[in-house]
């Protein structure tokens, strides 16, 4: 019975780990051959590695987004170049309200290339001294 217990425990750990990996790195139709990251993990990895992030913003209801998915997923060029970026795809409500993610409007699908320095600058605009000075007296 000890053998069975070990197998059951290992199986439940593997299943839990597998669920977390799938949730954190789902390709959502944009290519399972690409190492996708969540936005938070992508930001951390981009800052640590110095690699830029390639971020895709899309919606499940969007016809243009649906049309882009197979073209993106099947592109050998994108697959080969993906290792030069931290790849993130944001679906529906995952889209940040931060202006850094809509520099030229809120159209979709939207593909952005961001570097860690830009992310820090955007964060400073949202929470730093410049924000506080421009909102003196506002209730936050």
């Amino acid at each position: 019975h000890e053998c069975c217990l070990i197998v059951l425990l290992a199986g439940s750990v593997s299943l839990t780990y597998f669920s977390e990996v799938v949730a954190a790195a789902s390709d959502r139709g944009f290519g399972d051959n690409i190492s996708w990251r969540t936005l938070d993990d992508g930001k951390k990895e981009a800052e640590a590695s110095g690699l830029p992030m390639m971020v895709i913003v899309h919606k499940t209801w969007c016809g243009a987004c649906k049309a882009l998915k197979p073209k993106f997923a099947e592109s050998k060029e994108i697959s080969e170049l993906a290792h030069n970026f931290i790849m993130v795809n944001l679906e529906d409500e995952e889209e940040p309200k931060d202006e850094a993610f809509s520099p030229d409007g809120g159209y979709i699908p939207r593909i952005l290339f961001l570097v860690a320095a830009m992310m820090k600058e955007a964060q400073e605009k949202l929470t730093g001294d410049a924000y506080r000075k421009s909102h003196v007296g506002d209730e936050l």
Side-chain angles (χ1 to χ4, degrees):
H1 296 298
E2 290 176 41
C3 178
C4 293
L5 179 60
I6 291 171
V7 171
L8 281 174
L9 288 175
S12 65
V13 170
S14 296
L15 183 58
T16 301
Y17 175 74
F18 179 75
S19 297
E20 290 173 2
V21 169
V22 169
S26 176
D27 71 314
R28 298 179 176 132
F30 281 95
D32 60 1
N33 56 331
I34 294 173
S35 297
W36 295 102
R37 305 287 189 273
T38 63
L39 181 58
D40 288 339
D41 288 346
K43 286 179 182 180
K44 290 174 191 170
E45 192 172 336
E47 191 170 319
S49 69
L51 289 173
M53 288 195 320
M54 180 178 175
V55 179
I56 301 175
V57 180
H58 59 99
K59 307 291 183 185
T60 52
W61 50 262
C62 167
C65 301
K66 290 176 186 177
L68 177 63
K69 287 180 182 187
K71 292 176 182 174
F72 194 98
E74 295 166 8
S75 170
K76 289 181 182 179
E77 293 85 3
I78 290 174
S79 182
E80 290 170 1
L81 292 171
H83 73 277
N84 295 306
F85 301 93
I86 306 302
M87 302 292 287
V88 175
N89 74 44
L90 304 174
E91 185 174 74
D92 295 331
E93 300 305 314
E94 295 172 341
E95 178 183 358
K97 305 302 181 222
D98 183 338
E99 288 180 10
F101 291 90
S102 55
D104 55 351
Y107 61 89
I108 52 171
R110 187 165 61 250
I111 299 176
L112 305 167
F113 295 88
L114 303 168
V115 294
M118 290 172 67
M119 297 303 299
K120 284 184 178 182
E121 181 181 324
Q123 185 67 30
E124 179 63 25
K125 285 181 182 177
L126 290 173
T127 61
D129 289 337
Y131 179 83
R132 285 191 284 277
K133 287 177 185 174
S134 66
H135 291 83
V136 173
D138 288 356
E139 274 190 48
L140 298 177

